[in-house]
């Protein structure tokens, strides 16, 4: 992790709201790229991107700062995308 990125992560952990915004700006494209292949509709991608960041920010205090942030965040995004797919499939089954 770049020293500047590490500083931003630590600032977010300390509760700095600007740092949260910076994290989103740095990693939004990577998260969007990770989840976009799972969905046909942009609205689903947008939902999963937002939910992924919400989950990551809620769990940020438990993040091990000696590790890389990007893989941790992308794992959250992948799991969120798979959960969202499962809920879509359940909704489709109810309609049948």
């Amino acid at each position: 992790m770049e020293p500047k990125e590490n500083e931003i992560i630590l600032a977010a952990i300390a509760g700095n709201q600007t740092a949260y915004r910076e994290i989103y700006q740095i990693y939004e494209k990577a998260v969007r790229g990770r989840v976009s292949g799972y969905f046909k509709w942009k609205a689903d991608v947008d939902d999963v991107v937002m939910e992924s960041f919400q989950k990551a920010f809620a769990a940020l205090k438990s993040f091990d700062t000696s590790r890389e942030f990007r893989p941790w965040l992308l794992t959250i995004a992948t799991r969120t995308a798979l959960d969202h797919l499962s809920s879509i499939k359940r909704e489709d089954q109810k309609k049948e």
Side-chain angles (χ1 to χ4, degrees):
M1 185 174 348
E2 297 290 323
K4 171 88 169 127
E5 289 177 9
N6 194 40
E7 289 175 27
I8 295 167
I9 302 299
L10 292 172
I13 290 170
N16 182 317
Q17 295 300 309
T18 302
Y20 283 103
R21 194 172 317 115
E22 289 182 56
I23 290 170
Y24 183 85
Q25 290 171 345
I26 292 168
Y27 294 103
E28 185 267 338
K29 285 183 183 175
V31 170
R32 185 170 297 280
R34 173 61 62 96
V35 304
S36 63
Y38 290 103
F39 304 101
K40 293 184 212 178
W41 308 109
K42 183 182 180 300
D44 289 321
V45 174
D46 292 343
D47 289 346
V48 170
V49 168
M50 190 56 59
E51 187 177 345
S52 297
F53 278 100
Q54 289 171 341
K55 287 180 177 181
F57 291 159
L60 200 54
K61 289 186 191 257
S62 68
F63 173 67
D64 178 358
T65 56
S66 69
R67 302 186 67 141
E68 291 289 320
F69 182 76
R70 188 175 195 267
W72 180 78
L73 176 60
L74 293 179
T75 298
I76 291 170
T78 300
R79 291 178 178 162
T80 302
L82 294 173
D83 289 346
H84 193 77
L85 275 176
S86 293
S87 69
I88 290 171
K89 288 179 183 177
R90 280 192 302 273
E91 288 175 21
D92 287 347
Q93 288 174 347
K94 287 179 183 177
K95 292 176 185 176
E96 293 176 356

